[in-house]
C-alpha cells in the first residue's frame, strides 16, 4: 500500500529585491534566508526587501519535498483542494486567500491606500494596467524590530497644531529630522508633508497595525511580518515616482481621524494555549498567530485548523512531525512550513532556546 501524499511540507520562498529594502545582511529577510538555506549567497550590495510565502504568481513558493510531483505550492493546492479546508475552499474559489510576507524596509514605501472589493472591481475593469485584479487588499503588519509607519489621518487638532507651528518656522520640534530625511529620499515630493496629516506609529516588536480598505498608510523603516489578501491593487498618494491616481484617491480615502494608539491592533491570548496570541482582523481573508514558546518546553503541539496555513520560524530550532509523516522535518530560523487543513503538527525543540513562530491562516 502506498503512503498518502504528504500534506505538511517545507517551502522555499521567493525573495523580492525592491530598491527600498535593507541591504545585504542588514536585512531580516536576508538573514532568515541565509539561516534557512546554507547554500544561499547574500549579496551585501543588494537590497533584500520582501520574503513571499504563498501562491502569488510573481513568487509562488517552491515545494521542498521530492516525494511531491508538483513544483510549487500554487500547483499543489490546485490539485489538492481539500487541503485548503472546506469553508476556505468554497469561500475563496479554491485559492489560498492570503499572502504572508516578511518585509525589511530601509527607505519609505509610497504612501498608499488599497481599494475595497467593490471599488477594486470597478478600477480593474476601467484601468487593468494600473489595477491588476478585482480583489481588495487589507493588510496587517506585526513588528519584528522597531518599526515605523504612517497610518490613518491624525486627530484634527493635531493637524491644526502642526500647521500653526509650521507657520512659525519652528520645525525642529515637529519631526523636522524625519521631514528632511524624507525630502532627501524623495526630493520635491509633496508626500513628505504627510507626516503632519497621518499618524506616525512606532511599533515595538510584537505590536501590530491593521490597514483596512481606504486607509492611507506608508511603511517608513524596520522589519515586520505582514499578511494580506491576495491582491496587488494599490492607489498611490506620494513618496513615489510611480503613477498617482489623484481623483480615485481623493474619492476613496477614509478621512475618519483617529489617534495613533487607536491604530495599534491588539492580539487576543488563546484560552487553550498559553504560548499563543492571535491577531484576528475584521476581514475573512487571513489571521496571524504568534507562538512564543519558552526554551524549557521540549515539545509543542501546533493547533489543527480547518484552514491551510503557513508557518515561519523566526527564532529557535525544531523538528516537525505529524501522525502521517514518515520523515520528520527539521526547521530552523527562517524555515517555512506549509500545513494542510486539519493536520496536527508537533514541534520538538532540539535545543533549549525560546521559539518565536508566526503562522498565517484563515479563520472563517
Amino acid at each position: 500500500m502506498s503512503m498518502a501524499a504528504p500534506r505538511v511540507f517545507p517551502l522555499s520562498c521567493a525573495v523580492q529585491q525592491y530598491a527600498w529594502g535593507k541591504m545585504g545582511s542588514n536585512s531580516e529577510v536576508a538573514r532568515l534566508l541565509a539561516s534557512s538555506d546554507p547554500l544561499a549567497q547574500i549579496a551585501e550590495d543588494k537590497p533584500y526587501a520582501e520574503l513571499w510565502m504563498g501562491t502569488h504568481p510573481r513568487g509562488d513558493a517552491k515545494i521542498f519535498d521530492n516525494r511531491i510531483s508538483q513544483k510549487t505550492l500554487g500547483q499543489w493546492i490546485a490539485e489538492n483542494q481539500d487541503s485548503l479546508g472546506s469553508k476556505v475552499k468554497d469561500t475563496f474559489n479554491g485559492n489560498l486567500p492570503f499572502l504572508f510576507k516578511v518585509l525589511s524596509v530601509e527607505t519609505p514605501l509610497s504612501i498608499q491606500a488599497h481599494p475595497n472589493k467593490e471599488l477594486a472591481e470597478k478600477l480593474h475593469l476601467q484601468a487593468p494596467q494600473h489595477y491588476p485584479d478585482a480583489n481588495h487588499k487589507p493588510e496587517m503588519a506585526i513588528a519584528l524590530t522597531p518599526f515605523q509607519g504612517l497610518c490613518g489621518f491624525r486627530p484634527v487638532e493635531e493637524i491644526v497644531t502642526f500647521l500653526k507651528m509650521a507657520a512659525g518656522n519652528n520645525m525642529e520640534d515637529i519631526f523636522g529630522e524625519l521631514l528632511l530625511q524624507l525630502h532627501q529620499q524623495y526630493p520635491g515630493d509633496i508626500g513628505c508633508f504627510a507626516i503632519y496629516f497621518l499618524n506616525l506609529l512606532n511599533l515595538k516588536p510584537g505590536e501590530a497595525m491593521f490597514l483596512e480598505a481606504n486607509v492611507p498608510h506608508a511603511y517608513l523603516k524596520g522589519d515586520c511580518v505582514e499578511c494580506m489578501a491576495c491582491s496587488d491593487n494599490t492607489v498611490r498618494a506620494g513618496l513615489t515616482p510611480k503613477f498617482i491616481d489623484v481623483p480615485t484617491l481623493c474619492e476613496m480615502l477614509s478621512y475618519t481621524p483617529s489617534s495613533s494608539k487607536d491604530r495599534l491592533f491588539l492580539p487576543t491570548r488563546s484560552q487553550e494555549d498559553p504560548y499563543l496570541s492571535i491577531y484576528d482582523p475584521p476581514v475573512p481573508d487571513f489571521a496571524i498567530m504568534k507562538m512564543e514558546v519558552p526554551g524549557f518546553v521540549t515539545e509543542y503541539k501546533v493547533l489543527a485548523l480547518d484552514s491551510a496555513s503557513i508557518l515561519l520560524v523566526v527564532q529557535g530550532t525544531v523538528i516537525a512531525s505529524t501522525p502521517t509523516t514518515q520523515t520528520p522535518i527539521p526547521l530552523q530560523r527562517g524555515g517555512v512550513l506549509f500545513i494542510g487543513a486539519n493536520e496536527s503538527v508537533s514541534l520538538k525543540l532540539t535545543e533549549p532556546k525560546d521559539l518565536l513562530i508566526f503562522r498565517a491562516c484563515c479563520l472563517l
Side-chain angles (χ1 to χ4, degrees):
M1 144 182 163
S2 71
M3 283 299 292
R7 295 163 57 88
V8 174
F9 43 80
L11 299 173
S12 168
C13 296
V15 169
Q16 309 289 356
Q17 298 192 297
Y18 307 136
W20 50 259
K22 291 189 182 182
M23 297 300 238
S25 48
N26 284 327
S27 161
E28 179 70 359
V29 168
R31 293 192 295 254
L32 289 166
L33 178 70
S35 164
S36 66
D37 177 4
L39 300 175
Q41 297 286 318
I42 303 302
E44 291 302 335
D45 58 346
K46 291 223 164 57
Y48 289 78
E50 301 194 354
L51 178 71
W52 284 20
M53 300 168 278
T55 56
H56 192 289
R58 289 217 303 264
D60 195 358
K62 294 186 173 65
I63 293 177
F64 242 19
D65 187 324
N66 51 18
R67 295 167 300 170
I68 295 175
S69 58
Q70 294 86 354
K71 292 283 169 277
T72 71
L73 183 59
Q75 293 166 354
W76 187 87
I77 286 177
E79 294 172 31
N80 293 272
Q81 292 277 289
D82 293 345
S83 68
L84 287 169
S86 50
K87 284 186 191 155
V88 177
K89 181 178 96 176
D90 295 345
T91 308
F92 297 102
N93 305 319
N95 295 306
L96 188 72
F98 57 81
L99 178 58
F100 192 27
K101 296 182 178 185
V102 177
L103 273 63
S104 288
V105 183
E106 182 60 46
T107 56
L109 282 67
S110 57
I111 301 162
Q112 51 187 246
H114 304 296
N116 62 19
K117 201 108 173 66
E118 191 186 359
L119 179 61
E121 285 166 9
K122 192 177 97 174
L123 293 173
H124 178 58
L125 275 177
Q126 288 171 352
Q129 72 280 21
H130 295 306
Y131 303 106
D133 55 75
N135 202 8
H136 67 165
K137 191 188 174 184
E139 35 191 32
M140 183 161 54
I142 306 175
L144 289 172
T145 60
F147 191 80
Q148 189 174 54
L150 298 170
C151 178
F153 281 98
R154 291 176 178 273
V156 178
E157 53 277 18
E158 281 183 27
I159 298 174
V160 171
T161 307
F162 283 138
L163 291 174
K164 285 186 178 147
M165 288 170 84
N169 273 333
N170 183 5
M171 295 305 287
E172 57 273 14
D173 299 354
I174 51 168
F175 308 125
E177 241 176 283
L178 180 58
L179 181 66
L180 288 174
Q181 179 204 321
L182 291 175
H183 196 263
Q184 271 167 349
Q185 289 160 339
Y186 296 96
D189 191 312
I190 198 166
C192 295
F193 295 107
I195 58 174
Y196 299 117
F197 297 93
L198 304 180
N199 287 300
L200 183 62
L201 262 65
N202 289 296
L203 302 180
K204 298 192 277 293
E207 290 186 328
M209 57 178 160
F210 172 64
L211 308 161
E212 68 264 42
N214 305 332
V215 169
H217 60 275
Y219 296 154
L220 300 181
K221 199 173 178 75
D223 307 276
C224 69
V225 288
E226 184 186 54
C227 200
M228 59 181 61
C230 268
S231 165
D232 274 330
N233 286 325
T234 293
V235 184
R236 290 182 184 79
L239 301 182
T240 178
K242 293 183 185 165
F243 172 73
I244 295 185
D245 184 346
V246 177
T248 300
L249 183 77
C250 294
E251 191 187 331
M252 73 181 268
L253 277 189
S254 156
Y255 294 99
T256 313
S258 61
S259 73
S260 56
K261 67 174 192 308
D262 293 337
R263 282 273 154 211
L264 280 180
F265 188 82
L266 300 172
T268 53
R269 295 303 290 259
S270 156
Q271 298 301 301
E272 299 90 75
D273 177 345
Y275 308 130
L276 175 64
S277 305
I278 304 169
Y279 300 77
D280 186 12
V283 293
D285 310 66
F286 63 85
I288 301 180
M289 298 183 163
K290 177 180 71 169
M291 292 153 268
E292 293 178 290
V293 184
F296 62 75
V297 172
T298 51
E299 188 170 357
Y300 175 72
K301 293 249 189 298
V302 179
L303 228 55
L305 298 171
D306 190 25
S307 160
S309 62
I310 294 176
L311 178 145
L312 166 72
V313 179
V314 177
Q315 283 164 23
T317 312
V318 297
I319 293 174
S321 57
T322 69
T324 53
T325 45
Q326 289 173 299
T327 32
I329 302 165
L331 292 173
Q332 49 207 27
R333 172 165 152 75
V336 180
L337 189 69
F338 174 81
I339 303 175
N342 304 304
E343 293 287 325
S344 51
V345 175
S346 159
L347 304 177
K348 284 202 171 67
L349 280 69
T350 54
E351 49 184 27
K353 292 196 178 135
D354 295 359
L355 280 186
L356 175 60
I357 294 176
F358 290 91
R359 180 190 192 187
C361 60
C362 182
L363 299 176
L364 287 177

